[in-house]
Amino acid sequence: MTIELATPEVDGLDAAVGALREWQQAGAPRQLHPGDLGWFWRFGAETTAARVRTWRRDGQVLAVGLVDEPDLLRVTLAPEAYDDEELARRMTEDLGDPARGVLVEGDVYVEAPEGALLRETLSEAGWRLDDPWTPLCRDLAEPVEDPGVRIEVAGPRLVADRTAVQRAAFNRSTFTEERWHAMAAGPAYADARCLVAYDERGDPVATITVWSAGPGRPGLVEPMGVHRDHRGRGHGRAITLAGAAALREMGASSALVATPSSNVGGVATYVAAGFEALPEVRDLSRAAAKNQAPDTQ
């Protein structure tokens, strides 16, 4: 059967989220998680649908991608499709042709799981390795140590604190109360939790959102941040411990996160919270045609 590339309508997003839940497996390579779609949902259901891509054959979803930025696709595949040559070559064609509506013209990037044939076919087509990321994992078989600070679940009552810390942790953040409510209305948030840490004065100092993919499956940290005025006091470790504990309560087998390897402080914070740094991974990039050597023949 022919492989079909599609952009789902809003009512088709549940299928994409459901597929991503099913594909999460302990020990699998870093891959797109339902929490990645859940976090993007802060921009609204319609915008999220417009940024999702699916590849199907005979009605079966084989791959799900999120156009996180116009020049960045984050994509993963069904476990049984990692070695599917027809799928890999079709996706390589789709990602290389801006007219197919996945990536724009110019310099573009693809995050695809290690071990997928897609990475090989992209390399054959001229894609190159980009900057390294460090994936980290904490096993949740054993209880998580107490974070040592007051932790609150950020439901509607504490949305102002949750969003204020986010904006103070990330310079370009546009996270607002309206966007929190949009995110919380999405189907992925049914398996998620936002937490806020408070210092001894009662000030909100750090925040985290964690996403479960269901009992026995890996959960995701996306995002974690510490208020810029309260850094260097262990709040990042504390809120990360709280997030790991929340995932364990929801039945997650492990907690996953990935950060650029250049973010040395971020890697150190996660390691301090009991995460193990795994081998680095790299996205794939393709330079714009204008940056390539001209044909002089």
Side-chain angles (χ1 to χ4, degrees):
M1 297 294 291
T2 301
I3 293 174
E4 298 179 346
L5 165 65
T7 299
E9 300 293 336
V10 169
D11 59 6
L13 286 174
D14 284 351
V17 172
L20 290 176
R21 282 196 179 105
E22 291 181 8
W23 297 347
Q24 305 306 308
Q25 298 179 358
R30 159 72 178 165
Q31 61 181 328
L32 192 69
H33 191 278
D36 291 310
L37 264 62
W39 174 238
F40 196 89
W41 218 287
R42 67 195 186 278
F43 298 116
E46 291 78 11
T47 299
T48 303
R51 293 292 192 93
V52 170
R53 301 291 183 272
T54 61
W55 285 262
R56 294 173 181 259
R57 182 169 52 212
D58 197 22
Q60 179 185 3
V61 179
L62 300 176
V64 175
L66 171 65
V67 184
D68 213 349
E69 299 288 347
D71 62 353
L72 169 63
L73 176 75
R74 305 176 63 193
V75 65
T76 196
L77 298 82
E80 65 273 16
Y82 269 43
D83 296 324
D84 189 317
E85 184 172 359
E86 181 187 16
L87 175 64
R89 298 204 178 281
R90 169 60 193 270
M91 292 180 70
T92 297
E93 294 173 1
D94 291 338
L95 304 186
D97 183 357
R100 300 195 183 187
V102 182
L103 290 167
V104 296
E105 295 184 1
D107 296 352
V108 292
Y109 307 86
V110 170
E111 174 192 295
E114 295 288 333
L117 183 60
L118 173 63
R119 294 184 65 90
E120 295 183 24
T121 54
L122 287 172
S123 295
E124 291 171 1
W127 293 67
R128 297 291 181 261
L129 294 176
D130 200 56
D131 295 335
W133 286 68
T134 297
L136 301 103
C137 177
R138 172 165 177 153
D139 185 270
L140 297 177
E142 300 297 329
V144 178
E145 52 267 49
D146 189 284
V149 296
R150 179 164 68 93
I151 302 292
E152 298 286 351
V153 176
R157 181 176 62 86
L158 296 177
V159 171
D161 287 353
R162 167 69 184 86
T163 57
V165 174
Q166 182 79 22
R167 294 192 301 273
F170 299 94
N171 292 333
R172 294 185 295 172
S173 174
T174 59
F175 200 39
T176 61
E177 294 183 41
E178 180 181 5
R179 288 189 169 174
W180 184 91
H181 284 286
M183 176 185 73
Y189 197 77
D191 295 318
R193 195 171 296 174
C194 281
L195 305 174
V196 178
Y198 293 83
D199 66 10
E200 64 279 1
R201 297 175 52 188
D203 293 329
V205 296
T207 187
I208 196 169
T209 302
V210 293
W211 307 83
S212 170
R217 301 183 186 276
L220 178 71
V221 173
E222 178 63 35
M224 183 276 288
V226 179
H227 194 296
R228 66 175 66 92
D229 296 335
H230 298 275
R231 291 174 180 159
R233 304 173 195 176
H235 298 315
R237 175 180 181 273
I239 195 66
T240 302
L241 288 172
L247 281 173
R248 188 172 188 273
E249 290 176 6
M250 289 187 281
S253 60
S254 59
L256 306 175
V257 69
T259 189
S261 296
S262 59
N263 182 14
V264 177
V267 172
T269 294
Y270 290 118
V271 170
F275 283 67
E276 176 187 359
L278 304 176
E280 290 180 329
V281 297
R282 293 173 182 261
D283 293 350
L284 292 159
S285 66
R286 185 202 66 207
K290 64 179 181 179
N291 294 333
Q292 298 172 352
D295 186 353
T296 58
Q297 299 300 315

